[in-house]
Amino acid sequence: MTDQHQQKAADALAELRRRIDGVDSELVALLAKRQRCVEEVIEIKRTAQLPARIPARIDEVLAHIRKLAVAADVEPDLAVAVWREMIEQFIAFEERQI
Ligand SMILES: C=C(O[C@@H]1C=C(C(=O)O)C=C[C@H]1O)C(=O)O
């Protein structure tokens, strides 16, 4: 590869990484919105003496995500794996506060 080709590759990579950083900023803002909802769920569960982990609801969320991923042309197993981990982290977050 010539220096010119390498410079072009480096520029393209830098631009894509700027876009990825922008997407990550949006994702963290959305995660904060989701956490605010979970914080309200915690208040209700505490009062109603409900457990943090509700398996039927987990199944429902994951089925919804799989459908959305297919429609959005995102690898469904990737999306479900990300959500599964996020839900586990939110359950642990709930369990620390309920
Ligand atoms: C937020 C809830 O609590 C847990 C967390 C979930 C989530 O992060 O989507 C889903 C199911 C629950 O076990 C809930 O019950 O809705």
Side-chain angles (χ1 to χ4, degrees):
M1 251 222 230
T2 64
D3 282 357
Q4 207 180 4
H5 280 124
Q6 274 184 339
Q7 190 54 52
K8 262 195 159 181
D11 290 349
L13 201 51
E15 169 55 21
L16 283 166
R17 286 174 175 168
R18 269 192 294 277
R19 280 165 58 185
I20 288 171
D21 289 347
V23 172
D24 286 347
S25 296
E26 291 183 57
L27 286 171
V28 171
L30 290 171
L31 193 58
K33 254 172 120 172
R34 198 181 199 280
Q35 186 178 313
R36 300 292 90 76
C37 293
V38 172
E39 285 162 357
E40 291 193 43
V41 166
I42 289 169
E43 291 310 314
I44 292 168
K45 286 185 175 177
R46 195 183 280 145
T47 309
Q49 297 199 314
L50 289 167
R53 180 182 300 276
I54 300 185
R57 174 58 184 162
I58 297 171
D59 291 348
E60 184 180 60
V61 174
L62 295 178
H64 183 220
I65 291 305
R66 185 171 289 280
K67 265 195 187 169
L68 290 175
V70 169
D73 195 21
V74 173
E75 180 55 44
D77 288 347
L78 184 160
V80 168
V82 168
W83 256 259
R84 208 183 277 286
E85 178 60 26
M86 180 177 66
I87 290 169
E88 285 305 319
Q89 292 296 324
F90 274 122
I91 289 170
F93 175 75
E94 286 184 38
E95 281 173 343
R96 289 195 293 275
Q97 295 177 67
I98 283 178

